[in-house]
Amino acid sequence: MITVVIADDQAMVRAGFAALLDGEPDLQVLGQAADGREAVALVRERRPDVVLMDIRMPVLDGLAASRELLSGGGYRPTIVVLTTFDLDDYVYEALRAGVSGFLLKGATPAALAEAVRVAAAGDALLSPSVTRRMIARFATRRPPPARERARLAGLTVRERDVLRLIARGLSNTEVATDLVIAEETVKSHVGRLFAKLGLRDRAQAVVFAYESGLVSPGG
C-alpha cells in the first residue's frame, strides 16, 4: 500500500484528489493540509510515502515546505509538487531542492494515480518530456559553474553515460536496454553517481545534468 498526504489550499482540489486516490486498491490517503505549515506538521506526524504538495499556498508555500521536509537527515518523504503551469520557476527551484517531480492540476485521474506510483517507485522520471523541457528552460540560463563541472569530473565514463540517459527521461530498464547491460548494473551505477553527486533522485539528476553542461537542450 502506498500512503499519501495531500497539501493544497483549495478544499475542492484536496477532496477531489483524495476521493480519486482512495478509490485505488493500492493507494491510501493519510491526511490533508490546507497550507504549507500544516503540511509539514502532518507529514512529519503521518510519514507518508508520497506527498502531493501545491506549490503556491498561504502561511508557508509549497517550495518552502518542501525544503523544510527534505532538509537534514532522517525521514524525508517523496514529494510531487502540484502546479497550474508547467513552465514555473517555483517548480524548477523545488526540483533543485529535491522534490521528485511535478504534476499539473488538470491531470486525469489515471495520470494522478500513476504519478503517485511512479514517484513511490523512484526508478523513472515523472512526466519525463515535460520535466526535461522545463528544466532545460531554466537550467541553461547561465554558464555551468566551476563547482558543477568539478563534480561532473568525478564520475566515470559509464556513470556519465547513465546520467545522460537519465537526463533524457529513461527508466532503469530503458537505460539497461540502451547500454546493453543488466538492469541491476544500471541500479548500481545510479546509486554510485547519486552518492558521488549528493543527489536525492532522478529529478535532481536531470537538473544537475543540464546545469553542469553534460547535456543541453536538443542534445
Side-chain angles (χ1 to χ4, degrees):
M1 183 70 69
I2 300 171
T3 56
V4 185
V5 159
I6 301 167
D8 195 294
D9 61 337
Q10 299 180 47
M12 289 184 65
V13 171
R14 294 196 308 271
F17 280 10
L20 290 170
L21 295 177
D22 273 334
E24 297 292 322
D26 58 333
L27 306 177
Q28 178 185 14
V29 176
L30 298 182
Q32 304 174 34
D35 61 63
R37 179 53 59 202
E38 185 180 341
V40 170
L42 183 62
V43 169
R44 286 177 172 165
E45 176 191 347
R46 305 285 173 83
R47 300 170 75 88
D49 299 312
V50 177
V51 180
L52 296 179
M53 181 85 74
D54 185 17
I55 202 70
R56 300 178 189 276
M57 291 186 291
V59 184
L60 190 71
D61 66 32
L63 174 56
S66 296
R67 283 175 171 159
E68 192 167 327
L69 287 168
L70 295 172
S71 63
Y75 165 73
R76 295 195 299 178
T78 294
I79 300 176
V80 175
V81 293
L82 303 170
T83 182
T84 306
F85 307 103
D86 57 358
L87 295 178
D88 188 328
D89 56 352
Y90 269 76
V91 175
Y92 175 64
E93 289 303 320
L95 291 171
R96 294 185 80 241
V99 307
S100 295
F102 69 95
L103 185 68
L104 296 178
K105 287 190 174 182
T108 65
L112 173 65
E114 184 60 19
V116 171
R117 295 185 183 106
V118 170
D123 61 356
L125 185 66
L126 188 60
S127 305
S129 61
V130 180
T131 300
R132 287 174 56 226
R133 187 175 77 245
M134 189 270 295
I135 290 174
R137 171 172 173 170
F138 291 102
T140 54
R141 288 181 172 179
R142 56 187 175 84
R147 177 173 178 271
E148 306 294 47
R149 292 197 301 270
R151 292 168 68 198
L152 182 62
L155 299 182
T156 66
V157 172
R158 180 59 91 188
E159 287 165 352
R160 290 190 188 200
D161 291 340
V162 171
L163 182 54
R164 283 191 189 94
L165 295 176
I166 288 176
R168 282 172 45 192
L170 273 63
S171 67
N172 286 348
T173 302
E174 292 166 332
V175 171
T177 300
D178 192 282
L179 297 178
V180 196
I181 58 178
E183 187 172 347
E184 286 303 316
T185 303
V186 173
K187 291 179 180 179
S188 296
H189 285 310
V190 171
R192 283 197 296 270
L193 74 88
F194 277 22
K196 287 181 178 181
L197 298 175
L199 302 176
R200 171 178 164 78
D201 58 23
R202 299 177 96 84
Q204 277 193 320
V206 179
V207 171
F208 176 83
Y210 278 96
E211 289 191 341
S212 66
L214 178 67
V215 297
S216 57

